[in-house]
């Protein structure tokens, strides 16, 4: 329908004539919409609650890392992979024995791979004794159906918020979101300089080595890739040591005016905190990928000494369900629920997204200070994020139902 301005009076009369027509249409309309609105369909395709995907290719990257290509499961409501921003993750859900488990994995492919080629790739390091990762390594083959969330997370380059000069600090498998960003960067010219400093333990553990070299070569000088190896063998002739303040300054040509993105294991975050403070990088210039649960709660600053490793009970209220399950002070409340087969909502497992937000009805808990993503009002009213909260004794929790 075309509208033309005809003048104040004539436009006002035309508008008044519309009103009875509108009333008539509303009166004859069905109470339930005949078809979903286009905006609703678009929102659902961009932010699906769940995506059903199928493993279509498996590739070993290093002796301990493997890449899985995922495409929409034929016949499922997921017609195309939901679009995302380079750096986001999928929360993969699976049933392992009696447990209901989820883990976030960064999407390693680029947004255009999803849009044009219809796939995601995730790269997973096999951890011993990693619960879901071991299950994935042993069970995911071509044809396996995978249940995952829509893309989530805030670890992406935002050109309004971030500098156009990026220093990316990757440790081990923390390279995965940066691979996505670099592939994206080659297709869209939104960053002027992207310097990847990749910390590895040994040369054999470099993931995507050939591809990183190709991305650097094809970037016309916008991408630089530098390695630093902490445990080199005789074949290594590059930089050695850790991603210290001195190494960052030397390899990235200084930090002034640049945004720093960090993704790696928890120990690397703790180490880099002091190093980046020493370099006087303003807090607003640092982006950290959520790093998941800590393997050793006693090592978290602020954890009550000697409280770990004690059995306790967790009472869970979820809708009409009320269950008492065993828990342990060394594991998060979310892990206790998953172990008992309760499908508690979760995405990031790092206290950041708020999907697991639950009410602490009674009991003492320890909330990981670095992962306390609760709003101030939630803290005041007794809400916790079970993925970042450890029981210190018997606890009762009211948990929302997934979806
Ligand atoms: S799963 Fe994201 S805050 Fe708990």
């Amino acid at each position: 329908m075309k509208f033309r301005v005809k003048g104040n009076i004539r436009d006002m009369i035309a508008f008044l004539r519309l009103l009875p027509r509108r009333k008539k249409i509303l009166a004859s309309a069905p109470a339930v919409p005949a078809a979903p609105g286009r905006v609703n369909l678009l929102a659902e395709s961009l932010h699906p609650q769940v995506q059903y995907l199928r493993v279509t290719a498996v590739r070993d990257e290093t002796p301990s890392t493997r890449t899985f290509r995922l495409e929409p499961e034929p016949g499922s409501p997921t017609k195309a992979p939901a679009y995302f921003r380079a750096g986001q993750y999928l929360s993969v859900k699976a049933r392992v024995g009696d447990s209901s488990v989820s883990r976030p994995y960064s999407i390693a492919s680029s947004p255009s791979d999803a849009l044009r080629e219809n796939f995601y790739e995730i790269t997973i390091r096999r951890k011993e004794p990693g619960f879901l990762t071991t299950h994935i390594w042993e069970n995911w083959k071509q044809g396996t159906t995978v249940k995952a969330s829509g893309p989530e997370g805030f670890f992406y380059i935002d050109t309004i918020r971030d500098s156009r000069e990026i220093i990316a600090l990757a440790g081990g498998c923390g390279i995965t979101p940066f691979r996505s960003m670099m592939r994206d960067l080659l297709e869209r010219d939104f960053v002027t300089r992207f310097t990847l400093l990749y910390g590895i333990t040994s040369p054999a553990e470099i993931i995507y080595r050939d591809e990183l070299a190709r991305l650097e070569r094809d970037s016309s000088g916008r991408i630089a890739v530098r390695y630093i190896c902490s445990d080199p063998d005789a074949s290594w002739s590059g930089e050695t040591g850790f991603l210290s303040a001195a190494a960052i300054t030397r390899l990235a040509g200084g930090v002034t005016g640049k945004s720093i993105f960090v993704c790696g294991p928890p120990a690397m975050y703790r180490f880099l905190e002091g190093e980046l403070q020493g370099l006087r990088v303003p807090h607003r210039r640092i982006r950290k990928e959520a790093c998941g649960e800590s393997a050793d709660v006693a090592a978290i600053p602020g954890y009550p000494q000697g409280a770990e490793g004690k059995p306790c009970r967790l009472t869970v209220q979820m809708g009409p369900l009320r269950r008492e399950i065993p828990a342990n002070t060394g594991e998060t409340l979310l892990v206790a629920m998953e172990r008992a087969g309760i499908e508690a909502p979760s995405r990031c497992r790092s206290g950041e997204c708020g999907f697991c937000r639950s009410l602490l009805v009674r009991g003492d808990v320890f909330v990981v200070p670095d992962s306390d993503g609760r709003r101030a009002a939630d803290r005041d009213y007794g809400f916790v994020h079970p993925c970042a909260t450890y029981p210190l004794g018997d606890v009762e929790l009211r948990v929302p139902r997934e979806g």
Side-chain angles (χ1 to χ4, degrees):
M1 197 183 290
K2 279 191 183 163
F3 293 99
R4 271 191 304 124
V5 176
K6 295 176 182 165
N8 283 354
I9 303 291
R10 290 174 70 188
D11 284 350
M12 186 61 74
I13 292 168
F15 176 71
L16 289 173
R17 280 194 190 128
L18 280 178
L19 291 179
R21 219 176 116 206
R22 181 172 176 272
K23 267 191 193 161
K24 216 165 132 188
I25 292 169
L26 282 177
S28 62
V32 180
R38 280 193 214 163
V39 173
N40 294 16
L41 289 175
L42 177 64
E44 175 58 23
S45 69
L46 288 174
H47 308 288
Q49 284 276 339
V50 62
Q51 301 191 88
Y52 292 96
L53 307 166
R54 173 179 285 198
V55 178
T56 55
V58 180
R59 188 173 69 240
D60 282 344
E61 302 286 354
T62 70
S64 64
T65 51
R66 187 170 281 176
T67 294
F68 299 89
R69 181 169 288 205
L70 305 171
E71 297 183 28
E73 173 81 343
S76 81
T78 313
K79 301 269 184 297
Y83 193 61
F84 65 100
R85 301 178 81 159
Q88 290 190 299
Y89 66 84
L90 299 176
S91 174
V92 170
K93 297 172 189 305
R95 196 93 199 161
V96 184
D98 292 335
S99 303
S100 169
V101 199
S102 75
R103 288 287 180 282
Y105 294 109
S106 293
I107 305 171
S109 47
S110 76
S112 75
D113 291 332
L115 197 63
R116 298 197 196 104
E117 309 293 330
N118 220 33
F119 71 83
Y120 298 125
E121 280 184 350
I122 57 176
T123 301
I124 297 178
R125 180 186 294 281
R126 179 173 201 155
K127 279 190 242 158
E128 298 290 357
F131 197 46
L132 184 55
T133 50
T134 305
H135 169 84
I136 290 174
W137 267 66
E138 285 170 3
N139 293 283
W140 281 17
K141 304 179 173 53
Q142 275 196 31
T144 303
T145 300
V146 174
K147 188 177 171 189
S149 70
E152 300 285 349
F154 308 103
F155 190 70
Y156 49 77
I157 300 169
D158 185 325
T159 48
I160 295 174
R161 180 189 68 183
D162 300 312
S163 166
R164 288 182 150 252
E165 286 191 73
I166 306 290
I167 299 176
L169 305 178
C173 216
I175 185 67
T176 49
F178 296 132
R179 177 193 187 231
S180 178
M181 289 180 192
M182 290 158 75
R183 287 167 76 104
D184 194 29
L185 177 56
L186 277 202
E187 292 157 14
R188 299 190 306 119
D189 192 10
F190 61 101
V191 161
T192 49
R193 182 82 177 155
F194 187 100
T195 306
L196 171 71
L197 306 186
Y198 186 4
I200 43 156
T201 47
S202 70
E205 284 300 321
I206 298 177
I207 309 170
Y208 317 131
R209 191 173 196 164
D210 293 343
E211 184 176 358
L212 295 180
R214 184 182 59 72
L215 288 166
E216 182 177 25
R217 208 174 42 242
D218 294 349
S219 70
S220 311
R222 282 182 297 143
I223 292 176
V225 179
R226 306 284 178 266
Y227 297 98
I228 185 158
C229 183
S230 61
D231 190 14
D233 57 21
S235 70
W236 186 252
S237 57
E239 290 275 341
T240 56
F242 296 95
L243 288 169
S244 62
I248 294 168
T249 308
R250 190 173 64 252
L251 297 173
V255 294
T256 308
K258 300 175 185 175
S259 286
I260 317 276
F261 280 66
V262 185
C263 187
M268 180 179 141
Y269 287 78
R270 286 197 284 276
F271 174 70
L272 278 174
E273 196 149 318
E275 301 300 298
L276 294 177
Q277 256 174 28
L279 289 173
R280 297 181 186 280
V281 181
H283 195 61
R284 68 176 191 283
R285 289 280 190 209
I286 303 172
R287 309 271 161 241
K288 289 184 199 159
E289 175 56 314
C291 62
E293 291 129 347
S294 175
D296 179 12
V297 64
I300 300 172
Y303 186 77
Q305 216 181 359
E308 75 278 12
K310 297 189 173 48
C312 54
R313 306 295 297 173
L314 169 61
T315 306
V316 181
Q317 300 174 30
M318 188 189 253
L321 171 107
R322 186 182 169 87
R323 269 182 70 186
E324 194 179 300
I325 58 171
N328 190 291
T329 54
E331 287 181 341
T332 65
L333 296 169
L334 179 62
V335 168
M337 289 189 279
E338 290 181 337
R339 195 182 293 287
I342 296 174
E343 286 197 25
S346 74
R347 292 287 188 278
C348 70
R349 304 183 76 90
S350 301
E352 179 191 88
C353 71
F355 267 91
C356 65
R357 175 181 177 268
S358 304
L359 182 67
L360 181 66
V361 179
R362 67 177 167 87
D364 287 334
V365 295
F366 170 72
V367 177
V368 181
D370 283 351
S371 303
D372 190 356
R374 293 175 295 169
R375 290 172 295 182
D378 276 0
R379 276 186 222 141
D380 292 347
Y381 286 100
F383 285 91
V384 293
H385 293 173
C387 66
T389 304
Y390 293 80
L392 294 173
D394 292 350
V395 162
E396 184 167 340
L397 210 57
R398 193 174 300 153
V399 182
R401 279 184 282 189
E402 176 79 279

